[in-house]
Amino acid sequence: MERSIETKCLHLEETEGSTINYGAISYPIYQTATYAHSGVGKSSGFDYSRLQNPTKEHLEKVVASLENGTDGFALSSGMAAISLLMELFKPGDHIIADSDLYGGSIRLFRNVSEKNGIEFSNIDCYREDIEKYINKNTKAIYIETPTNPMMHVTDIAKTSEIAKKHNLLLIVDNTFMSPYFQNPLDLGADIVVHSGTKFLGGHNDTLAGFLVTKNPEIAEKLQFLIKTTGAGLAPFDSWLILRGIKTLGIRMEKSQENALKIANWLKNQKAVTNVIYPGLPEHSGHEIMKKQARGFGAMLTFGVKNKDFAFSILEKVRMIKFAESLGGVETLITYPVTQTHADVPQEIREKNGITENILRLSVGIENSNDLIYELEKVFHETERELSG
Ligand SMILES: *Cc1c(COP(=O)(O)O)cnc(C)c1O
């Protein structure tokens, strides 16, 4: 019987029953840069930690197993993973990328990849006809679903049919859902990207990034690139992410439960103009999410009546932290316009609807009553001050 994902977060089938490492339950941290050889032409399988390290390799196997892939690669950050991915392409190649992506990905594509000769078309993959943008030199489609921060939902299986028909790679940044809720490889994606800093690590304490595939050719190229460019995850950070993953299931369930409660609370606030959470039945992507994911996640975006109101919320929150990042046990509130999406050109931000009135919440695992109590207090004080 195929093990459930909660169990896979804790147990890697292939190492089970093995008595290596004194039977340690927690995988050891192999804090070593290099490995001794017992003779010429002999190797333990580990030669140098830029190429392979046992702790990193164990983590890569765990993440690959969670995404139902065959090969996983652990990088020093999400952006290191996406930068490495771009090395699969050459000058003159064209990529269709969603127009609403993590700000750092947009910055990388516009400022680094374009300089290196890669061309991009940025479109709303959730609603535009992708095929219209495919040219002779198109090599890949790059999406997030739901997108950051506007929570647009793209049908992964449908997009993968288009990709396959035109011989393109479908790359899905699955950070927002985590493998606990969504597995793009099962829906036809070729490569899954994660910022492991977020839900996988889950504790706002470690940067990491992942690439996962089940295509042996892609895996071989990535293996070569990681050894050549050298942005692999360090042993201690690998261990921290391994430890984080053990509780992925209960964290995702609890933060999702809190997110739905907060979304419903926000909907009833006079000052709130819109609540964008795919778990709400009125969200345009709700039905697609039900089809392609096992949940709706813990990320939600909402609009308030004006910029002053947004500023006041950011200044008044105490337990909820006004901070960049997401996916940790602590609830964070983010102001995309000056934080995650500050480097995205204003016209693109406006087109995507990222205005000065938009706030993003990454809901953590606190007691939901305490979260709502704080929001109530902050909203109430803001109403009073702004009307006075
Ligand atoms: C944070 C994030 C990234 C970048 O990851 P880092 O670990 O911060 O480098 C990429 N994609 C998404 C969706 C993210 O949220």
Side-chain angles (χ1 to χ4, degrees), residues 30-35 46-54 56 232-235:
Y30 284 89
Q31 189 63 49
T32 185
T34 191
Y35 307 82
F46 295 91
D47 304 314
Y48 190 60
S49 280
R50 174 156 33 74
L51 287 61
Q52 332 96 325
N53 171 280
K56 178 168 78 107
L233 193 63

Side-chain angles (χ1 to χ4, degrees), residues 77-80 82 102 105 144 148 173 175-176 195-198 207-208 326:
S77 71
M79 289 321 300
I82 304 169
Y102 173 66
S105 304
E144 289 173 11
N148 181 356
D173 181 336
T175 300
F176 265 34
S195 167
T197 314
K198 315 295 169 56
L207 290 173
L326 62 106

Side-chain angles (χ1 to χ4, degrees), residues 51 67 76 90 153 158 184 196 216 237 280 307 353 355 363 375:
L51 287 61
E67 281 292 8
S76 59
K90 58 179 192 313
V153 174
K158 264 199 196 141
D237 290 355
L280 295 173
K307 177 182 158 187
T355 66
V363 182
L375 288 170

